[in-house]
Amino acid sequence: MNEDGEEIESYKGYRETKAGVDDYVYVGQKKKALSDEEIVENICTIIRRWGWGVTAEQELLHIAYKPSSKHMLEVLKEFRDPTVLLGFFKWARQQDWYTPSTPVFALLMDRMGLAGKLDEMKWLYERMKAENCETTSTTLNVLVKCYLRASMLDEAYVCYMDSIRAKCMPDTYTFNTLIGSCITNGLHQKALEAFNSATELGFAPERHIYDAVIPIFAKAGNLEKAMRLFDEMRTRGHQASPALFACLIDNLGRAGRLESAMRLFSEYRDLGRVPSLNMHVSLVESFAKAGKLEMALKIMGQMQKADHIPSSSLFVFIIEAHLKARQLEKAMQLLGNMMKLGHLPSRGLYSSFIEAHLKARELDTAVKLFISMQEAGVLPTPPVCTSLIEACALSGDLQMSMRLFQSMHKLGFRHREGTYALLLPLLMKQSQLDLVRDFLEDMRKNQIIVDGISSNALMGILQHGQTDLACQYYKLLLSMNIDLNSRVSRNVMELSLKEGMYDVSKLALDRLMKSGFMADLRMYTLILSCFSRCEGEENEALIMSMLATTGHAAHKFLCGLLSSPEQRKDSALNFVRLYYQDLENHVDEKLARWFTCVLLNYLVLMGQIKRARCVWKVSYEKKLFPNRILFDQELVWSLDVRALSIGAALTAVVHTLHRFRKRMIQYHSLPRRIKIVTGGTLSDPIQDLLRPLDSPFENHGGALRCRGSYVAHWFSKPLVEKFLENELPSRDEIIMQKINLLFPRPKPEPYMLIMNSATAA
């Protein structure tokens, strides 16, 4: 028709068909069945027109033809919207013409993965397995790719292993991506498992996969596998990269497989390639670490010929290897070469040199290195300073030790406690009280606990026998309010007593008592033994004050013994017996014997002969001095006073002669000979005691002997009778004067005065 509405020409043409109603189209007057493309386009038109929803589903229900899985796959290819794709798939599954198809599932899972719908993708995978669709390499590769795109490496790895178990060969992209992702994320073990499983199925990796996997095996310590893959890679015609050569050489060297490393190194050079600096460095370090220093130096020389300049770190490594091997001269040569190349030694390298020379006992060289280190402007490390100071101190070079100590102190170094503990005894031996005082004040400023260090230093001086010096420092330390331990104070007290420095002894004893120390009988006996050696009333009063300070029960006993019977309400003999009964239960026999000897010394010196004889009688009853008096029937009566103190010996002689006299009278017995065994030291004092009484005894080889008849005649003299009955004759002043002369001042007691440290503790 024209513009005016007039008919120009008429004929019968195509007639429109309604979608979902007609399964054909007219071509002229002929009906023509819909092609696959037209069916797909028809379904797509409905979905595009209405969008996916209830209306689209109703329209699709009215189509007059039955789509197939092929049509369904083509329709799904036309859309990207996951809602449309999943909705159409779920609608199709409800239709009677639906047939499960692996390609459909693969397409849907791929589109869901691209859209990030991982839950829907997982549901599709489960539906595929539930509907018994064949699991193909394509399907599993799609899954792995989708998970990898979503960075869900664990899920991708599970799917990959499922495909391996299903004997499905992964495609190159999937394999490369999975291996690369595992390596990138540090999951080397999973990468190795994936690689091994794929190669077992006959999968041929590409070169870059070899380059990525072989270093993993090498670094994991599986060098056999790494080398096998390396050989396999070259067999497949792949050329190994320089980085792969370097990695294998490095790991073989670290594992101690130096021959294999050198073989690879030689192969690399045979290929016409120039080994890199890293390859040389790796081999040098490996041989040096294995102790093959000559080979390491040879490779280092080859490296320099190849115009590779060794780094300072490499020089440090090989120098330290020589130092550990105690090749100090070679290490010094390498240090010179290092400095010629412009590398400056670091603080750590200087420290290693100094420590190595200290271990080799080359102290002079170590000090020179330390001085050169300071001249180079390199600050030493605190451990090196400490080691050097302590080495100088142990060698006795106090001057150098203090010089280093003060120089480090000026630089602000804070020395450790052990350094102070080592230097303090050396300073004390120099008898410089002011210097020691300053040193202790410096320790306090640096918050070093001085009590223990001072105690140990003072104990060392005591053990070296420098008692005078120890007493001076003891006073100094107390004046500085340093809390010395009880062991030191007790040793100072005992040694100062032995040397007659009673003022220091009193100071140490007061310190002990204030610290809660409980004096024992050993200490009390030691103090009492000094009474017979001291000179002057002042010292005697000081010793008596020390005895009272101890607060020991022995002092109460001594005071009670010297008091009158009315005050103690008992006789002297019973009083002594009671005390010795208690003494027998609490102290050992050796200590009780020593206490008795010292006590008898004191009583004789004070003129208390009667009380002394009571003590001797009780001690003899307690068998503290067994086998001292022997009666060999009528042949020999003897008394053995060897190893007794002077007071004990004199008391024993008087008391025993009195017993001999009573035995002669009571039993009318008379021995052929009476003998007093004195030894070499007690012979003169006993003779001096008996000479004013006209003693008939004569000295014969360390023993006073006399015939029994002569002694009996001597016993009958009134003067002797009075003397033996404790009734002193008129010449008692002469006798006591003789007794006072019997106590030589410098002689120590026959008992260990100072206990060892274990006993004191």
Side-chain angles (χ1 to χ4, degrees), residues 254-273:
R254 290 177 184 274
R257 299 175 60 175
L258 302 178
E259 294 182 0
S260 300
M262 282 301 297
R263 188 180 69 252
L264 275 182
F265 184 75
S266 301
E267 288 180 11
Y268 188 77
R269 287 191 300 182
D270 293 341
L271 292 173
R273 300 179 181 180

Side-chain angles (χ1 to χ4, degrees), residues 143-301:
L143 272 175
V144 173
K145 291 174 188 176
C146 292
Y147 279 124
L148 288 174
R149 287 194 205 105
S151 300
M152 298 177 68
L153 192 56
D154 291 338
E155 287 78 1
Y157 181 77
V158 171
C159 289
Y160 175 83
M161 296 308 293
D162 287 345
S163 69
I164 296 299
R165 284 190 287 271
K167 306 298 182 182
C168 297
M169 184 72 70
D171 59 25
T172 302
Y173 174 80
T174 302
F175 178 78
N176 293 345
T177 306
L178 180 65
I179 297 294
S181 298
C182 290
I183 294 173
T184 303
N185 289 276
L187 302 175
H188 294 163
Q189 186 61 34
K190 287 188 176 181
L192 297 179
E193 291 176 0
F195 181 87
N196 290 333
S197 59
T199 52
E200 288 174 0
L201 290 176
F203 184 81
E206 297 180 352
R207 172 189 159 180
H208 69 278
I209 294 299
Y210 279 112
D211 288 340
V213 172
I214 291 175
I216 297 176
F217 280 106
K219 293 176 182 178
N222 194 348
L223 293 172
E224 298 294 339
K225 180 71 174 178
M227 292 302 297
R228 189 162 57 250
L229 290 175
F230 182 73
D231 295 337
E232 178 185 311
M233 180 185 74
R234 292 193 292 181
T235 303
R236 293 180 184 274
H238 299 307
Q239 189 174 9
S241 64
L244 185 57
F245 268 103
C247 176
L248 287 174
I249 290 172
D250 180 60
N251 284 279
L252 287 170
R254 290 177 184 274
R257 299 175 60 175
L258 302 178
E259 294 182 0
S260 300
M262 282 301 297
R263 188 180 69 252
L264 275 182
F265 184 75
S266 301
E267 288 180 11
Y268 188 77
R269 287 191 300 182
D270 293 341
L271 292 173
R273 300 179 181 180
V274 179
S276 65
L277 175 63
N278 291 335
M279 287 186 186
H280 283 102
V281 170
S282 176
L283 283 175
V284 170
E285 291 181 349
S286 298
F287 277 101
K289 186 178 179 181
K292 298 181 178 181
L293 300 178
E294 294 182 1
M295 190 63 184
L297 292 176
K298 181 179 178 181
I299 297 173
M300 192 172 178

Side-chain angles (χ1 to χ4, degrees), residues 323-388:
L323 290 175
K324 290 179 181 178
R326 297 186 179 181
Q327 298 183 18
L328 303 184
E329 294 182 2
K330 190 63 179 179
M332 291 296 292
Q333 293 178 7
L334 289 170
L335 179 63
N337 296 337
M338 174 182 173
M339 298 179 71
K340 287 179 182 178
L341 291 174
H343 299 307
L344 295 177
S346 63
R347 182 168 70 165
L349 185 58
Y350 269 120
S351 302
S352 298
F353 265 102
I354 293 173
E355 290 177 352
H357 282 85
L358 286 176
K359 289 180 181 178
R361 298 184 179 180
E362 297 181 5
L363 184 59
D364 294 337
T365 307
V367 172
K368 290 178 182 178
L369 284 169
F370 183 81
I371 295 173
S372 64
M373 179 181 182
Q374 288 183 309
E375 291 174 352
V378 180
L379 291 177
T381 59
V384 170
C385 294
T386 301
S387 299
L388 192 57

Side-chain angles (χ1 to χ4, degrees), residues 33-57:
L34 293 174
S35 65
D36 292 337
E37 292 78 5
E38 289 171 332
I39 293 174
V40 170
E41 181 61 27
N42 194 357
I43 296 174
C44 291
T45 300
I46 294 174
I47 295 174
R48 289 192 187 100
R49 178 183 299 172
W50 302 105
W52 187 257
V54 176
T55 304
E57 290 182 6

Side-chain angles (χ1 to χ4, degrees), residues 494 522 526 590 594 749-756 759:
E494 293 176 351
R522 194 183 305 274
L526 175 63
K590 188 177 181 181
W594 181 44
E749 290 299 322
Y751 192 86
M752 181 179 62
L753 299 183
I754 298 181
M755 297 174 293
N756 54 33
T759 307

Side-chain angles (χ1 to χ4, degrees), residues 620-668:
Y620 194 80
E621 290 175 356
K622 296 294 182 181
K623 296 183 180 179
L624 291 179
F625 304 97
N627 301 323
R628 293 289 177 173
I629 302 174
L630 296 176
F631 297 97
D632 189 2
Q633 296 179 358
E634 301 299 327
L635 296 176
V636 179
W637 293 355
S638 65
L639 169 65
D640 188 355
V641 295
R642 290 174 298 181
L644 295 181
S645 65
I646 297 176
L650 296 179
T651 306
V653 168
V654 175
H655 185 76
T656 305
L657 290 176
H658 178 63
R659 286 192 61 185
F660 288 170
R661 179 177 178 275
K662 287 178 64 175
R663 187 178 183 88
M664 289 180 184
I665 296 172
Q666 186 175 358
Y667 296 105
H668 303 287

